[in-house]
Amino acid sequence: QVQLVESGGGLVQAGGSLRLACAASGRTFTNYRMGWFRQTPGKEREFVAAISWSIGTTFYADSVKGRFTISRDNAKNMMYLQMNSLKPEDTAIYYCAAGPTRGLVVVAPKSYDYWGQGTQVTVSS
């Protein structure tokens, strides 16, 4: 049974940093992409960043490029999102997700098969 468990959310002032972690278990993720999405009440789930599990290719939403960095540790089955220069508009529940690389549309939530329960990130102004 695949499990994705996020951690690291919290409250931070604008300009600060947080590091989210996603612990993955239950299968091997070769030929998978792992992603981070976020969602605020009343809005669609929004793509943030993704990474190819095998070769480490990264993808970012324009809104976070240059501020957020996605990475993974294959040996530990962990994925991370380092978030710097946080803004109040980054406030959301952040979810990690996994989906097979073949046919996956990186920015589309429906392309991902597995989801974590989410972790709240709140950025105060």
Side-chain angles (χ1 to χ4, degrees):
Q1 181 181 349
V2 174
Q3 273 198 310
L4 302 175
V5 180
E6 303 96 336
S7 60
L11 173 64
V12 64
Q13 286 191 325
S17 298
L18 279 175
R19 188 193 195 209
L20 304 184
C22 175
S25 62
R27 66 161 296 134
T28 56
F29 292 95
T30 308
N31 299 320
Y32 265 65
R33 284 205 182 107
M34 311 287 285
W36 288 98
F37 287 77
R38 64 188 182 188
Q39 191 169 24
T40 53
K43 290 193 174 181
E44 300 280 322
R45 197 163 288 192
E46 175 190 25
F47 170 74
V48 176
I51 188 165
S52 168
W53 191 256
S54 299
I55 61 175
T57 307
T58 57
F59 309 83
Y60 293 96
D62 287 343
S63 58
V64 306
K65 228 174 254 184
R67 299 188 298 123
F68 291 10
T69 302
I70 189 171
S71 63
R72 90 275 191 239
D73 184 331
N74 294 43
K76 295 181 180 179
N77 264 19
M78 295 290 295
M79 179 177 65
Y80 305 97
L81 186 68
Q82 178 66 43
M83 305 187 295
N84 299 329
S85 303
L86 281 161
K87 305 175 181 180
E89 51 264 43
D90 294 317
T91 296
I93 299 174
Y94 283 70
Y95 299 89
C96 73
T101 303
R102 175 174 255 180
L104 184 140
V105 177
V106 169
V107 302
K110 65 182 179 181
S111 285
Y112 293 78
D113 294 338
Y114 306 109
W115 292 86
Q117 82 289 350
T119 186
Q120 176 71 48
V121 170
T122 303
V123 184
S124 63
S125 56

